[in-house]
Amino acid sequence: MNQKNYILWDNSGWIVNVKSFLPDYLAKTESVFCQGNGRLGLRAVTEESYCGMVRNMFVNGTFNRFSENEVTELPNLPDMTAFEIYINGHSFSLLKGNFLDYTLSLNLYNGKLKREFIWISPEQHKFKMVFERFVSMTERDLVGMKISITPLNCDCEVLIKTGIDGQMTNSGSQHFEEGESCVLPGNILQMCSKTTNSDVFVVNQVNLESYIDGWRIEKPFSVTIGRRKITAKGEYVLSPKQTLSIEKLALVITSRDIYFDGKQNRPSTYYKTYAETRGGHIFNNNFDFHFGQSEKTWKKVWNEIDIEISASSNRDQTFLRFAMYHLMIMTDIKDSRMGIGAKGLSGEGYKGHSFWDTEIFIMPFFLFTQPDVARIILSYRGKSLPGAYAKAKKYGYKGAMFPWESAWLDDGEVTPDWGGTDIVTGKAMEILTGHLEQHISADIAFAIYQYYVATDDTSFMEQFGYEIVLGTAEFWLSRIEIDAEGIGHINDVIGPDEYKEHVNDNAFTNHLVFHNLAVAEEFYDTLMQNNSTLLDKLVEKTNFNIDKCREIKEKLYLPQVNSQGLMEQFEGYFNLSEIDLTKYKNASTVGNIYNDYNMKMLSQIKVSKQADTLLLMLLLENVFPEECKKKNYYYYEAKTLHDSSLSKCSHSILAADIGLLDEAYKFFKEGMLTDFGDNLLSSDEGIHSACMGGIWQSVVMGFGGIRIAEEGLRINPVLPKEWNSLKFSIYWRGIRTEISINGKNITVKNEGNKSLNFSHRGQEYWLEPRKKLVFYSNNERE
């Protein structure tokens, strides 16, 4: 076990833990060790309260807008994790007395959070304290908690207070009206509340059970009801070595849950009745039973998605599983009415909004491991098309212009207008991404095409896919400006590099738009041949004009490499000034350049926040030869600060593609440390969702060499010297395929019932069902 790091890992490859309690930096572990199931997310707060902690519980899709002056955000639901513990009349706190053998651990295999230590009270009495918690992957509205207290050298009296706290806010914004609290038969606590604007009805229920040495105590808790709070109190007397266990099962039901879809206008009594029936079912079983059921579900998940890395240390293996764990707990795999937040469900950062991160950095994980979930993710964009049409119309364009930040389907653009302080003017900085960072529409069309090629899912295309591609193409046709020489330009945009505003002909944007138009043309021709009735409906709905598309596509200016083999990031980039970036590239935290320069100044300097031109060469890899990628890699990496968590994975994958394996591994490792590293402030507002997808992509698409190319599936692995072997499975057009790589050979095994077609090192292969091909290091095959 590595003792130099704050967050540690064990030899199993499944456990992450910390051995230190740092009350000034609680947010780090609250975010990194968070739990969830895609519907519900819970920060890893301690049961006892400390100054600076942030108790957050979110349910996906329950967006609310506090006031007209604020944007829509996921509201912080009533808390059910807090416990007040009094021992011999004194409140328990790790800031009082002393403690030994402190460990906070998260088991990635089964999702259990466990905290244990020996607490030494100010009177020198010793107590073994164990706190356990899970968010059920089986019962998606259930949270289970368990506290165990064992006096080791004294008799003691223990008082426990816990319940439901509806006084929670989002950094001060209270999203819920005060509702009704009551005690139901069986001593079940219930709180009902409703969001102030979006009318989401929420029912919280809690069931409490007490045990001493495993024997259930029949004495009920006493209950008090206050303003937005309902509290149960239990009192116990323990002898030395006796163990008191308190089990708390908590249910969260909302009117926007998927099984109520289309029924949000039902009276509140409807949801209360449902919750009470649901509680009667769930509360018939205890903590261990429900955790066991959840553990079985997690086992099934890992059987589908797990990747095995053999290396001298289990660090990379554990951190990769950590990334996949977070991808699973942030994504609702059943409900296509909401997206994936940039912080998942782990904190208030970015207010639960979805960005292009989803399609470019997160969706590929699901596309290759659980294609049905990828369809759900993309269906969210299909269902939000009305908002995309409305945004285009608002800005004077045609077609579908997707919001930069998205929340609930009917919210439209939810990007805040103002952000941090301008270091020069002292005023708030205007956030322009919602207006100018328009490449998201082409990014979504790109993801649709990738999904279609990898799955051949024509039913999705007919439901949403074709319309998204034609609708976004029509937007670009109205957005492109034709100059006097007949050349098409896309002016006044922000590319992926957000340190550059109001730029013209951003290479990433223009090339992705060209791809968008080319795919629209391809789909139009296919539908003309195969389904003209559907095509007629789509043209009527999107106003897509194929003749205009063919004409403007050929006129669109596509930046090309110059005589030095370099592609200009945007018009005029090569004329910008240069400064010494060493100070900022070596900084331990991101965004330090804002301390010296404002956005206007940054726009005049050759410095990038994140991968821009290099991301283009990664996504549209067949357009650019390897030598071109290599020259641009060296040129732009020197000018990139990686101040976005999206950046390092892109550099890692591209470096692997062009044979720079040491560089690829360096950026893979640094990407892992975005949340896991020793920077105790890096994750205060939540983990970096897209970085989790990027870590997986670095392994599977970078070192594993998996790519959706023009010819179909491409498998070109390259193993870093730090690893002995790598094994993973993917789905390609319904065929589960296992790929194993070591220092001597590459094995591709078809585990499906259809023949698999793929390319390797420029050669095409057909692999029959249940057969395997072995490629040796000299490229011979067996």
Side-chain angles (χ1 to χ4, degrees):
M1 184 178 293
N2 188 333
Q3 297 294 334
K4 295 181 181 179
N5 297 77
Y6 173 60
I7 299 179
L8 308 174
W9 58 94
D10 72 357
N11 292 329
S12 73
W14 291 103
I15 307 293
V16 291
N17 58 62
V18 297
K19 297 291 187 178
S20 305
F21 175 72
L22 303 178
D24 293 332
Y25 301 99
L26 294 172
K28 175 79 169 183
T29 48
E30 290 173 3
S31 296
V32 171
F33 287 68
C34 75
Q35 298 167 284
N37 55 25
R39 172 192 176 267
L40 185 152
L42 189 64
R43 277 173 74 90
V45 289
T46 59
E47 284 72 12
E48 70 277 11
S49 293
Y50 299 98
C51 181
M53 72 187 313
V54 180
R55 296 190 185 275
N56 280 155
M57 181 173 70
F58 304 106
V59 169
N60 230 332
T62 57
F63 288 103
N64 186 64
R65 187 176 184 179
F66 173 69
S67 72
E68 292 184 359
N69 297 322
E70 298 190 16
V71 298
T72 299
E73 65 182 332
L74 273 183
N76 189 13
L77 270 66
D79 174 69
M80 298 182 287
T81 61
F83 282 77
E84 295 179 47
I85 303 172
Y86 298 86
I87 300 177
N88 290 332
H90 301 289
S91 62
F92 159 71
S93 170
L94 289 172
L95 301 180
K96 299 178 181 179
N98 204 347
F99 58 90
L100 303 170
D101 303 325
Y102 182 91
T103 301
L104 171 67
S105 64
L106 175 64
N107 188 319
L108 303 170
Y109 188 75
N110 59 29
K112 178 186 279 190
L113 183 71
K114 187 174 184 180
R115 188 167 59 109
E116 53 188 332
F117 48 87
I118 302 295
W119 182 58
I120 304 173
S121 73
E123 296 80 18
Q124 298 301 302
H125 295 151
K126 294 184 178 181
F127 302 87
K128 181 178 181 181
M129 314 281 281
V130 181
F131 300 82
E132 299 171 273
R133 188 184 304 163
F134 71 94
V135 174
S136 177
M137 285 289 279
T138 306
E139 309 290 352
R140 287 158 39 88
D141 47 11
L142 173 65
V143 177
M145 292 157 276
K146 185 176 182 180
I147 294 178
S148 299
I149 302 171
T150 306
L152 300 179
N153 62 351
C154 66
D155 295 320
C156 70
E157 296 179 356
V158 178
L159 171 65
I160 301 286
K161 292 183 179 180
T162 188
I164 307 171
D165 184 356
Q167 298 177 5
M168 297 295 103
T169 70
N170 288 64
S171 302
S173 293
Q174 169 58 264
H175 284 282
F176 288 93
E177 300 172 354
E178 183 171 11
E180 175 189 355
S181 297
C182 65
V183 182
L184 301 174
N187 219 38
I188 294 171
L189 313 184
Q190 177 174 279
M191 177 180 289
C192 301
S193 49
K194 187 177 71 171
T195 55
T196 57
N197 182 271
S198 57
D199 293 333
V200 179
F201 194 79
V202 177
V203 183
N204 294 77
Q205 286 189 351
V206 161
N207 181 62
L208 291 160
E209 297 288 353
S210 307
Y211 302 85
I212 294 181
D213 289 341
W215 293 93
R216 183 173 177 272
I217 300 172
E218 295 294 335
K219 178 184 175 182
F221 286 76
S222 59
V223 179
T224 57
I225 298 177
R227 186 175 185 183
R228 287 190 168 94
K229 203 164 189 177
I230 179 168
T231 304
K233 180 176 72 173
E235 299 179 77
Y236 313 89
V237 177
L238 301 177
S239 301
K241 305 296 177 67
Q242 278 192 317
T243 297
L244 167 68
S245 296
I246 307 294
E247 294 187 4
K248 183 177 185 179
L249 297 180
L251 277 179
V252 187
I253 309 295
T254 85
S255 59
R256 277 193 167 169
D257 291 331
I258 189 170
Y259 34 79
F260 298 134
D261 189 17
K263 304 174 184 176
Q264 286 89 349
N265 294 325
R266 296 288 184 94
S268 61
T269 52
Y270 175 84
Y271 304 110
K272 289 171 62 176
T273 299
Y274 175 86
E276 290 167 16
T277 303
R278 178 82 175 135
H281 168 70
I282 292 295
F283 299 148
N284 279 334
N285 292 294
N286 63 10
F287 176 96
D288 290 339
F289 172 84
H290 286 297
F291 172 70
Q293 296 299 109
S294 180
E295 187 174 40
K296 291 177 182 177
T297 303
W298 266 117
K299 183 178 180 180
K300 293 177 182 177
V301 169
W302 285 112
N303 286 341
E304 284 291 307
I305 70 173
D306 194 24
I307 296 173
E308 296 178 18
I309 297 173
S310 173
S312 58
S313 166
N314 272 345
R315 182 196 61 182
D316 294 356
Q317 174 71 87
T318 307
F319 287 4
L320 172 60
R321 285 174 174 156
F322 165 84
M324 293 188 286
Y325 163 86
H326 274 284
L327 288 165
M328 291 304 305
I329 70 170
M330 72 175 69
T331 306
D332 195 320
I333 65 172
K334 297 180 181 293
D335 196 339
S336 61
R337 299 173 301 153
M338 67 277 297
I340 302 171
K343 296 292 186 182
L345 298 170
S346 66
E348 296 177 20
Y350 294 111
K351 306 180 184 300
H353 297 172
S354 300
F355 296 71
W356 69 306
D357 309 19
T358 299
E359 284 75 22
I360 300 301
F361 297 95
I362 296 174
M363 194 274 290
F365 164 74
F366 292 99
L367 177 59
F368 283 116
T369 62
Q370 299 163 89
D372 55 331
V373 179
R375 174 173 177 152
I376 288 172
I377 291 171
L378 294 175
S379 293
Y380 167 71
R381 297 297 190 180
K383 291 182 178 181
S384 62
L385 270 166
Y389 290 130
K391 182 178 179 181
K393 185 176 181 180
K394 176 182 176 181
Y395 280 81
Y397 301 122
K398 299 178 181 179
M401 180 185 184
F402 280 96
W404 178 245
E405 297 187 32
S406 299
W408 190 245
L409 292 174
D410 51 12
D411 281 329
E413 182 64 68
V414 291
T415 304
D417 292 325
W418 302 97
T421 304
D422 186 315
I423 191 65
V424 175
T425 67
K427 298 179 180 180
M429 292 189 292
E430 186 177 7
I431 298 175
L432 297 175
T433 51
H435 307 289
L436 302 182
E437 197 152 359
Q438 299 165 3
H439 62 83
I440 184 171
S441 294
D443 302 334
I444 292 170
F446 177 84
I448 295 291
Y449 186 72
Q450 293 262 297
Y451 174 81
Y452 177 59
V453 173
T455 64
D456 200 26
D457 184 354
T458 54
S459 66
F460 168 79
M461 296 303 296
E462 291 172 358
Q463 183 182 14
F464 293 124
Y466 292 130
E467 183 181 351
I468 291 174
V469 172
L470 296 184
T472 51
E474 180 61 20
F475 160 64
W476 293 117
L477 295 179
S478 67
R479 177 68 174 84
I480 295 169
E481 303 171 35
I482 308 298
D483 67 14
E485 285 75 37
I487 300 174
H489 302 276
I490 304 177
N491 296 322
D492 197 19
V493 298
I494 298 173
D497 173 16
E498 293 168 0
Y499 284 166
K500 298 293 179 289
E501 299 177 342
H502 299 294
V503 303
N504 298 332
D505 287 329
N506 169 250
F508 179 94
T509 302
N510 285 30
H511 278 273
L512 264 291
V513 169
F514 183 87
H515 180 272
N516 194 162
L517 298 179
V519 171
E521 185 178 349
E522 176 187 331
F523 286 164
Y524 183 97
D525 291 341
T526 300
L527 289 171
M528 177 63 77
Q529 294 177 10
N530 301 328
N531 196 339
S532 58
T533 301
L534 174 61
L535 178 60
D536 290 342
K537 293 180 181 178
L538 289 170
V539 168
E540 181 180 0
K541 192 169 185 180
T542 64
N543 293 311
F544 177 74
N545 186 312
I546 185 60
D547 294 330
K548 187 177 181 181
C549 180
R550 297 190 205 277
E551 176 189 353
I552 292 183
K553 179 172 71 72
E554 297 308 316
K555 292 181 177 180
L556 177 62
Y557 172 68
L558 294 179
Q560 301 296 319
V561 296
N562 61 17
S563 58
Q564 286 78 43
L566 299 176
M567 174 175 286
E568 194 169 33
Q569 183 173 309
F570 53 82
E571 181 189 3
Y573 178 89
F574 288 150
N575 296 326
L576 301 181
S577 62
E578 295 193 36
I579 64 170
D580 183 358
L581 298 174
T582 305
K583 165 184 170 182
Y584 308 111
K585 288 182 78 72
N586 293 337
S588 59
T589 56
V590 300
N592 288 277
I593 200 166
Y594 282 128
N595 296 329
D596 300 320
Y597 300 91
N598 65 9
M599 287 302 300
K600 184 177 181 180
M601 298 162 71
L602 287 176
S603 293
Q604 304 304 314
I605 301 170
K606 289 181 182 177
V607 59
S608 295
K609 179 180 180 180
Q610 64 200 72
D612 191 304
T613 305
L614 297 187
L615 180 58
L616 164 65
M617 293 183 175
L618 176 60
L619 296 183
L620 300 181
E621 58 176 1
N622 290 340
V623 176
F624 306 98
E626 182 172 317
E627 187 59 29
C628 171
K629 295 176 188 175
K630 188 171 292 188
K631 287 182 179 181
N632 282 272
Y633 177 90
Y634 284 121
Y635 180 81
Y636 282 107
E637 202 293 309
K639 298 166 180 58
T640 303
L641 300 185
H642 303 290
D643 281 349
S644 166
S645 64
L646 314 178
S647 187
K648 290 181 178 178
C649 69
S650 302
H651 282 248
S652 174
I653 301 168
L654 187 60
D657 282 355
I658 59 180
L660 303 177
L661 285 183
D662 288 344
E663 285 275 299
Y665 184 77
K666 177 179 84 77
F667 281 118
F668 162 71
K669 182 173 68 173
E670 291 178 359
M672 290 192 300
L673 296 178
T674 300
D675 287 299
F676 250 107
D678 291 337
N679 180 352
L680 297 177
L681 302 174
S682 65
S683 309
D684 283 7
E685 294 188 333
I687 57 94
H688 298 78
S689 299
C691 187
M692 300 299 107
I695 291 170
W696 180 89
Q697 285 195 43
S698 295
V699 174
V700 173
M701 302 176 73
F703 302 126
I706 299 299
R707 212 63 58 82
I708 302 173
E710 286 184 353
E711 63 273 17
L713 176 64
R714 192 198 75 189
I715 306 175
N716 288 343
V718 286
L719 205 64
K721 66 179 185 295
E722 289 80 4
W723 296 351
N724 302 316
S725 64
L726 171 66
K727 184 169 76 171
F728 59 91
S729 295
I730 63 168
Y731 280 93
W732 179 259
R733 296 183 178 174
I735 304 169
R736 184 174 170 88
T737 305
E738 181 185 274
I739 295 99
S740 302
I741 309 117
N742 58 39
K744 296 180 179 180
N745 57 56
I746 301 162
T747 302
V748 181
K749 183 180 179 182
N750 182 346
E751 297 181 333
N753 298 316
K754 299 183 294 183
S755 293
L756 174 71
N757 177 225
F758 68 95
S759 67
H760 173 71
R761 306 298 180 205
Q763 297 293 318
E764 185 177 8
Y765 299 93
W766 283 92
L767 183 57
E768 296 300 313
R770 308 296 174 180
K771 300 292 184 180
K772 67 180 180 180
L773 275 174
V774 180
F775 300 91
Y776 295 97
S777 56
N778 61 4
N779 211 34
E780 294 180 357
R781 65 186 178 90
E782 181 183 84

